[in-house]
Amino acid sequence: MIRALREVEGGLRLLMNVWLRVPALRRAPVRESFLRQVYFTGVTASTGVVLRASGLGALIIAFTMQVLDADTSLAVKILLWVVLREVGPLAAAMVVILRTGTAMSAELAMMRITGQTDALRRMGIESYDYLVVPRVMGVMIATAALTCYIQFLAVLGGMILAPFVIQASFTELYTRFFDLVAPIDFAYSIIKSLMFGFVIALTCCYHGLNPPALTQNGVPQAVTRAVTQSAVAVLTINALFAYLIFGVLFFGLVKAVV
Amino acid sequence: MSAIALRYDLKRHGHAPVAVAVPGGVTQRLRLPDAEAKARLVGAVLSTRCAADEELELFGEPVKGLPRAERARLHDRIGVLTQAMGLISNLNAWENISLPAAYHGTHPIARIAQTARDALQSLGTEPGVFLARLPDEMDPFERKLVAFLRLLAKEPALALIDGLGEGLNREQSARAARFEAEYRARQPEGTLVFVDLAEEEPR
C-alpha cells in the first residue's frame, strides 16, 4: 500500500517535471534523443504491423458480413467502431509497451544501476531533461503516428482484402466508409493515443529510474512493473475515454446515465 | 590566477591528517595514504563541496559556504577523470565527448571535434573508426581515452585524474602516460593533478 502511494506520488512528480521541462527539447542532445526515440518507437515498429493491421481489417469485415450476416453498412460501422475508436489505439499502445516500454525501462534501470545517471548529474545534465523529456515526448508522438498507420492499414487493407474472401465490393465498402466516418473518430483516437504514449513513457521512465534494487536483479523487476502498470494504465484510460466521450463502456455493454 | 590552484585538508578521527596544496600551472602527482582519503578528495573536487571534516579551496576560494552559483562557476573550470569514467553506454565515443558541451552550449562543437581528432592522432588512434564506437566495444584504455577527451573538451584550468594507470596493462599505461603532454599542449597555463594511492611500505 505504502509502495503504491509512493509510486503514485513519484509518478505525479515526474509528470509535473516533464511538463515544466519540455523547453529542454531546444537543446541539441535532447532533441537528438527525442528524434531517436520517435524513430525507434514509430518507424522501426511500423514494418511489423503491416500484415497484421491489414489482416485485422479484412477479418472484421469478413466476420461481420459472413458470420453475423450483416450488410455492408453495418460491417463498415463495426470496422469504424472497432478499428478507429478502440483496436487501432489499443494495438498501437500494446506494440509500444512490448517494444519500447520494455527497452526503455531496462535501459534506464541499467543506467541507474551502473551510475550513468550520477555521471550525467556530475556533468550538470538533469536526468529529467536528458532522459525523461525526450522519451516521453517521442513516445507520445510515435504512438499517435503508429495508431494512424495501423488504422489506415486496417481500413484500407480490410476494404481491399475483404472482396477476395466474401461477397462485397470495394466501391461499396469505400463509399459507406466515407458516409459514416466523422472527424470526431479521428480526433478521439489521436487524443487517446497521445495519452497512451504519455502514460506508457511516464510509467516506464519512472520504473526505469527507480528500480527496486540497485543491482542487476533490479532490471527485470523494473521492466515487469513498468509493463504491467503501463498495460493497466492504458486499459483504464481507454475505458474512461469511451465512457466520457461516447457514454459507453465495453463496446456499449455499460451505458452512461444521462 | 591564484598561486594555489587546489588546497585540500582532511582531518579524520584516528587517521593522520591529509593536507594537499597544488600551485597553479604545474603538473603534480598526489599520493594519498588510503582509498577513503583518495575517494573523498576526488569527490570533494568533483562536487565542489566538502564535509565538516574537510577544507577545500579552488583557485584561492574556499568552497565551504559558497552559494550554488559560485560553486557552479568554479565547477566549470574543473575537469575530473574518475575511475568510473561516467561514459553513457548508448552514446558512441564522439557523442560522449561532445555531450556536456552540446548540452550546455559552452564550447563550439567544431573546436571540440578538432581537439578530439588531433589528440587521437597524436595518441596513435584512428579517429574515424574510434569515435563511432560504443563504450561497451572498447577496452579499458579506450574508455579512459574517451573520458580524457571529454575532459580536454571542457578546457579545464584544473584537471584532476584519479588513478590513471589503474585497470590498465603495462602497454596501455605507457600510452595513458601521454595524456599529460596532450593536456599541457592545450592548456599550457593549466594545473594537472594525478591522484594515486601511496605504495605500501615493504615489510
Side-chain angles (χ1 to χ4, degrees):
Chain A
M1 184 66 185
I2 290 169
R3 200 189 82 195
L5 285 173
R6 204 180 297 147
E7 283 178 1
V8 169
E9 188 247 336
L12 288 173
R13 204 177 321 141
L14 194 64
L15 187 149
M16 287 303 297
N17 265 303
V18 167
W19 281 125
L20 294 174
R21 289 164 189 270
V22 168
L25 282 170
R26 281 198 296 251
R27 295 174 191 264
V30 181
R31 205 167 47 240
E32 218 164 275
S33 177
F34 161 77
L35 293 174
R36 210 177 282 182
Q37 194 62 57
V38 172
Y39 177 78
F40 176 72
T41 308
V43 181
T44 61
S46 61
T47 48
V49 298
V50 175
L51 271 178
R52 275 169 258 178
S54 316
L56 176 74
L59 188 75
I60 288 169
I61 294 177
F63 184 82
T64 322
M65 293 185 75
Q66 201 72 21
V67 181
L68 301 179
D69 205 17
D71 60 356
T72 318
S73 178
L74 182 60
V76 170
K77 209 179 267 183
I78 289 173
L79 181 74
L80 252 170
W81 284 349
V82 173
V83 172
L84 279 196
R85 290 183 190 173
E86 302 298 331
V87 176
L90 272 178
M94 289 306 150
V95 169
V96 170
I97 290 174
L98 294 175
R99 288 185 83 253
T100 309
T102 47
M104 197 160 51
S105 48
E107 183 189 30
L108 291 179
M110 276 306 290
M111 287 183 82
R112 177 79 203 278
I113 288 162
T114 54
Q116 293 177 47
T117 50
D118 292 333
L120 285 173
R121 204 183 56 241
R122 282 198 291 268
M123 286 187 264
I125 298 173
E126 274 287 338
S127 298
Y128 285 126
D129 287 357
Y130 185 65
L131 299 176
V132 181
V133 170
R135 280 171 175 77
V136 171
M137 302 313 284
V139 169
M140 271 175 82
I141 288 169
T143 309
L146 200 60
T147 300
C148 291
Y149 189 62
I150 288 175
Q151 288 169 333
F152 173 75
L153 285 173
V155 170
L156 193 74
M159 287 180 194
I160 292 172
L161 296 176
F164 290 105
V165 282
I166 53 159
Q167 284 285 338
S169 95
F170 173 76
T171 326
E172 202 183 345
L173 288 168
Y174 176 86
T175 317
R176 295 304 302 149
F177 179 79
F178 282 100
D179 286 345
L180 292 167
V181 74
I184 191 173
D185 292 315
F186 287 106
Y188 171 76
S189 65
I190 295 299
I191 293 169
K192 197 161 74 169
S193 56
L194 284 171
M195 291 283 290
F196 285 168
F198 181 72
V199 85
I200 292 167
L202 208 65
T203 310
C204 294
C205 285
Y206 175 78
H207 285 290
L209 290 174
N210 299 284
L214 291 179
T215 61
Q216 302 281 343
N217 294 334
V219 180
Q221 290 176 35
V223 174
T224 307
R225 283 183 190 178
V227 169
T228 48
Q229 290 186 13
S230 298
V232 170
V234 161
L235 293 173
T236 310
I237 289 174
N238 192 52
L240 280 175
F241 252 68
Y243 195 76
L244 289 173
I245 308 291
F246 297 110
V248 291
L249 260 183
F250 306 119
F251 301 100
L253 289 175
V254 177
K255 285 201 166 82
V257 182
V258 183
Chain B
M1 187 192 280
S2 158
I4 297 292
L6 165 70
R7 188 194 299 278
Y8 178 75
D9 291 305
L10 173 64
K11 292 185 181 77
R12 291 172 298 169
H13 184 69
H15 289 84
V18 175
V20 166
V22 181
V26 303
T27 298
Q28 192 159 324
R29 281 162 215 283
L30 302 177
R31 304 236 175 243
L32 292 165
D34 55 75
E36 190 210 340
K38 184 163 88 90
R40 290 193 62 179
L41 164 65
V42 174
V45 176
L46 194 60
S47 61
T48 52
R49 259 176 218 277
C50 55
D53 56 353
E54 294 173 305
E55 292 294 335
L56 175 66
E57 246 179 66
L58 293 165
F59 310 107
E61 282 188 65
V63 302
K64 208 171 256 180
L66 217 56
R68 197 179 181 171
E70 290 295 302
R71 280 212 324 270
R73 187 180 51 76
L74 283 178
H75 191 267
D76 289 344
R77 300 176 64 192
I78 300 166
V80 181
L81 198 164
T82 61
Q83 293 279 350
M85 287 176 276
L87 300 184
I88 308 301
S89 56
N90 60 4
L91 300 182
N92 65 29
W94 165 245
E95 289 165 335
N96 263 296
I97 293 164
S98 62
L99 177 65
Y103 182 85
H104 296 294
T106 45
H107 299 88
I109 297 298
R111 194 163 80 204
I112 294 172
Q114 193 58 50
T115 304
R117 267 197 301 270
D118 293 349
L120 283 171
Q121 270 161 356
S122 68
L123 288 164
T125 304
E126 171 53 44
V129 181
F130 180 78
L131 291 174
R133 287 165 65 196
L134 292 168
D136 287 346
E137 300 164 352
M138 297 175 177
D139 64 33
F141 169 74
E142 290 171 324
R143 281 199 286 273
K144 209 159 259 200
L145 179 55
V146 175
F148 174 69
L149 291 174
R150 187 164 68 191
L151 180 147
L152 278 188
K154 202 178 174 188
E155 299 172 3
L158 169 65
L160 190 138
I161 299 180
D162 175 19
L164 179 66
E166 280 177 43
L168 304 182
N169 61 32
R170 193 173 293 177
E171 186 217 340
Q172 290 169 336
S173 293
R175 290 180 73 190
R178 286 155 65 188
F179 287 180
E180 182 183 342
E182 287 303 317
Y183 174 78
R184 196 48 71 203
R186 283 160 188 83
Q187 300 292 321
E189 304 289 311
T191 308
L192 179 60
V193 182
F194 291 98
V195 186
D196 284 296
L197 280 178
E199 279 169 28
E200 283 184 16
E201 297 281 326
R203 290 183 186 176

